[in-house]
Amino acid sequence: MKVAVFRPDDERLDEAVELLESLGADPVPDPMLAVRPTDNAPQHAEYVVLTSKTGVELAHEAGWSPDDATVCAIGERTAATLHEYGYDVDIVPDKFSSRGLVATLADRVGGKSVEVARSDHGSEVLTDGLADAGADVHETVLYELVRPEGAGRSAELAAEGHLDGALFTSSLTVHHFLDAAEERGIRAEAVDGLENATVGAIGGPTHDTASELDIRVDVVPETASFDRLAREAVERITDGGDEAEV
């Protein structure tokens, strides 16, 4: 049971491989994201939103201090990293996603300044949603996400019909998977190969991106975490189910 995972080549990829092996899968680690820091720090605002572990680490390295801001984390992993670096966390949404964070903040941020500090590929769902709620939104790019050189082994396996599962953890991993396939001249074959695999997307925006690019998605966990994504995808592969779960 070969399952491709596209996490950055750091402890996140190591943890993903370990989890998949514990579930009885044969992981295909194919990092589709590499981090390029900008050395920027979050600006001062009444609310400051962090959306990733990487963002917290880079904000800390840049000397960020939240002062009296209300600090918001998009999910438990981001919150845990904030705590690890000595920051207080005031708000974590029940649903760990941009939509979940907007829903949590919508009735609090009207007329308030909100700083969103994240990668250069953050979803507009978050910034547009907060602006629609009446917030004065500013975005700081803490890091750029690029495709690592040599990425694409999973696309080759998919094109050959040798991939049983693919776990997309952001919209950008979908784009980079297809770009890697395009470079190899096998984009159509790779997409066709995914038709015979179980495709997982970590949340709604990732699902929507894959669908728009003609990749059928079978699994979207209710909780946007890699653990839930991996477990539900492997369960589906093992059970041999054929009804899409969206």
Side-chain angles (χ1 to χ4, degrees):
M1 184 192 343
K2 290 187 179 297
V3 179
V5 56
F6 308 118
R7 309 224 77 183
D9 191 8
D10 54 25
E11 72 277 3
R12 286 168 290 186
L13 186 62
D14 295 337
E15 292 170 1
V17 166
E18 183 178 351
L19 173 60
L20 287 168
E21 288 177 340
S22 75
L23 296 172
D26 178 11
V28 179
D30 193 9
M32 287 291 170
L33 300 175
V35 174
R36 183 183 294 162
T38 63
D39 298 325
N40 293 328
Q43 293 191 10
H44 179 74
E46 292 168 279
Y47 287 76
V48 177
V49 176
L50 279 302
T51 65
S52 70
K53 176 180 184 291
T54 299
V56 174
E57 293 170 343
L58 293 176
H60 178 74
E61 289 177 14
W64 171 60
S65 174
D67 298 322
D68 58 349
T70 297
V71 177
C72 311
I74 201 167
E76 287 180 348
R77 188 181 182 97
T78 305
T81 307
L82 282 160
H83 287 307
E84 179 183 340
Y85 284 97
Y87 299 112
D88 292 329
V89 179
D90 300 297
I91 295 174
V92 181
D94 292 332
K95 291 188 176 181
F96 306 153
S97 66
S98 294
R99 291 188 179 101
L101 192 51
V102 169
T104 299
L105 294 177
D107 62 352
R108 311 185 192 199
V109 296
K112 306 289 187 180
S113 59
V114 179
E115 166 75 348
V116 176
R118 57 184 184 174
S119 81
D120 62 328
H121 284 86
S123 169
E124 293 181 355
V125 169
L126 178 57
T127 47
D128 289 352
L130 293 173
D132 289 344
D136 178 12
V137 181
H138 180 270
E139 181 178 7
T140 295
V141 174
L142 300 178
Y143 57 102
E144 299 171 353
L145 290 170
V146 298
R147 178 164 54 93
E149 185 176 351
R153 177 184 171 217
S154 58
E156 295 173 1
L157 289 173
E160 295 165 359
H162 296 157
L163 200 62
D164 300 297
L167 306 180
F168 292 104
T169 49
S170 69
S171 291
L172 196 55
T173 60
V174 179
H175 285 291
H176 284 180
F177 173 88
L178 293 174
D179 289 345
E182 184 75 34
E183 282 187 356
R184 289 162 169 78
I186 56 171
R187 176 171 173 143
E189 293 85 350
V191 172
D192 287 345
L194 290 181
E195 286 292 320
N196 298 314
T198 292
V199 176
I202 202 166
T206 306
H207 164 269
D208 293 347
T209 297
S211 297
E212 289 165 4
L213 294 169
D214 299 322
I215 295 176
R216 188 205 68 248
V217 175
D218 305 294
V219 175
V220 182
E222 184 174 349
T223 299
S225 73
F226 184 81
D227 183 271
R228 290 311 316 160
L229 176 64
R231 291 180 186 278
E232 292 182 23
V234 170
E235 181 180 3
R236 181 183 176 86
I237 295 169
T238 303
D239 292 345
D242 56 8
E243 293 295 327
E245 298 177 12
V246 296

